[in-house]
Amino acid sequence: MKLCRFKKASSQVCPGIVSDESTIIDLSSEVENLTSLFEAEDLNSRLAKLTKTNFPRLERATTRLMTPVERQEVWAVGVTYLRSKKARMEESDFSATAYDKVYDAPRPELFFKSFPEKVVGPGDSVGIRSDAQWSVPEPELTFVINSRGIIVGFTVGNDMSSRDIEGENLLYLPQAKIYEHSCAVGPVIVTGVTEAEARMWKIQMTITRNGQRVFEGETSVNQIKRTFGELVEYLFRSQKFSHGAVLLTGTGIVPPDGFTLEEQDRVRIDISGVGSLENIVTKV
Ligand code: DO4
Ligand code: MG
């Protein structure tokens, strides 16, 4: 099932189910928000009941899809794909050993990415820092996790990053990763999927400049080195998330070293089984 958060013509923001290409079921008369739904003991049967109830159905064209992140902190894991490890080791002599070690270490690299109110959704702009020379999008399968540490769904995330700042010194990682419009998530959350099923998905990214495709790349979710349970277990170690959490799971697609994003570039990320997230680049 595909869940979403959408804005009506009246500007009211509502939780919903994407029932087909052109229809959204408005759950707002029954469900306060997606976050409370994710706390249900048996989410799948709750959702099955909701789809059978006669809630208003809206033409998708009359609504605007928003990021589904409501109150969750957003975190990210790094260096979960071999491709990411190699790219980081090449970008920095200074930090190469750290990336090499973390790829094989029992403890993954986890970092804070965004407060929920700073996350951008589909059609919003994603940012490149005005003091960075080398900026890239990172297309990442993204977990939606409830307060009990259960993955309740999957969505699409973009961990926008400044590679020159990250490569200069590992201690600059928060500046390379956290700035205005550096995190896009959405639009839909797919529920009822097992890890084995999600591992069969492909992730694709296309970057278009002035109508021309300037980068295209693909990877498979199955290239993620660690199990999903392991990633969530480390995130929830010695830490509580009363509204749940959102976790970006690392990138396996890295544009070539000469490539940097420019203003007005269009970044489209597709995850088969989830959907696509598209944003336009702006300088911040
Ligand atoms: O420390 C580097 C961050 C790595 C990352 O964000 C990724 O692999 O996706
Ligand atoms: Mg990343």
Side-chain angles (χ1 to χ4, degrees):
M1 190 156 303
K2 289 189 174 172
L3 296 171
C4 68
R5 221 167 124 247
F6 66 95
K7 200 182 245 186
K8 288 182 181 169
S10 64
S11 289
Q12 188 192 353
V13 176
C14 310
I17 297 173
V18 177
S19 73
D20 60 47
E21 277 298 297
S22 57
T23 318
I24 292 179
I25 305 175
D26 179 359
L27 300 177
S28 58
S29 58
E30 174 77 13
V31 173
E32 193 191 341
N33 51 36
L34 294 175
T35 310
S36 57
L37 195 55
F38 295 146
E39 295 301 321
E41 283 300 328
D42 186 354
L43 178 63
N44 291 333
S45 53
R46 176 90 207 275
L47 289 175
K49 273 189 206 136
L50 287 174
T51 41
K52 284 187 198 121
T53 316
N54 205 13
F55 295 122
R57 270 141 172 90
L58 304 177
E59 276 287 322
R60 189 153 160 182
T62 65
T63 66
R64 174 157 187 253
L65 290 179
M66 318 282 290
T67 179
V69 180
E70 292 171 334
R71 302 184 70 183
Q72 295 88 351
E73 286 176 31
V74 182
W75 286 70
V77 229
V79 200
T80 45
Y81 291 78
L82 191 60
R83 179 72 190 95
S84 178
K85 176 183 98 155
K86 284 187 178 151
R88 311 293 148 186
M89 289 179 73
E90 281 159 18
E91 89 193 352
S92 170
D93 292 340
F94 188 89
S95 318
T97 348
Y99 290 119
D100 197 22
K101 281 190 176 153
V102 82
Y103 183 73
D104 289 315
R107 185 187 290 274
E109 177 199 11
L110 272 168
F111 57 92
F112 178 77
K113 180 66 186 174
S114 183
F115 289 111
E117 59 272 24
K118 294 181 113 184
V119 174
V120 301
D124 293 337
S125 50
V126 282
I128 49 176
R129 290 183 66 115
S130 34
D131 63 349
Q133 316 301 324
W134 188 12
S135 302
V136 293
E138 295 191 351
E140 307 190 4
L141 177 71
T142 298
F143 301 164
V144 179
I145 309 163
N146 70 14
S147 67
R148 301 190 298 283
I150 298 164
I151 300 175
V152 289
F154 299 95
T155 184
V156 183
N158 182 351
D159 171 26
M160 293 287 289
S161 304
S162 313
R163 290 194 63 195
D164 53 332
I165 296 176
E166 167 186 282
E168 192 179 336
N169 188 322
L170 259 190
L171 297 178
Y172 296 155
L173 191 73
Q175 294 173 75
K177 295 287 191 182
I178 308 167
Y179 54 88
E180 287 304 313
H181 292 232
S182 69
C183 180
V185 175
V188 300
I189 297 172
V190 176
T191 62
V193 176
T194 64
E195 171 166 352
E197 287 163 340
R199 282 193 174 273
M200 287 159 65
W201 292 342
K202 293 263 171 290
I203 304 179
Q204 290 170 308
M205 179 168 70
T206 310
I207 304 171
T208 316
R209 183 170 299 158
N210 302 321
Q212 309 272 47
R213 203 169 293 172
V214 290
F215 174 78
E216 202 169 21
E218 182 179 305
T219 190
S220 155
V221 171
N222 202 29
Q223 298 296 312
I224 298 178
K225 189 183 182 235
R226 298 172 189 267
T227 66
F228 293 2
E230 188 183 344
L231 298 176
V232 176
E233 196 271 318
Y234 269 99
L235 178 64
F236 276 67
R237 264 195 199 187
S238 299
Q239 184 162 217
K240 287 192 181 81
F241 295 96
S242 49
H243 308 297
V246 166
L247 182 65
L248 280 71
T249 59
T251 188
I253 302 176
V254 183
D257 286 358
F259 180 89
T260 186
L261 285 170
E262 292 180 8
E263 273 198 283
Q264 296 303 316
D265 282 355
R266 189 177 281 272
V267 180
R268 182 185 162 118
I269 302 169
D270 289 282
I271 303 186
S272 58
V274 184
S276 54
L277 171 66
E278 198 166 334
N279 300 93
I280 299 201
V281 173
T282 191
K283 209 170 248 187
V284 295

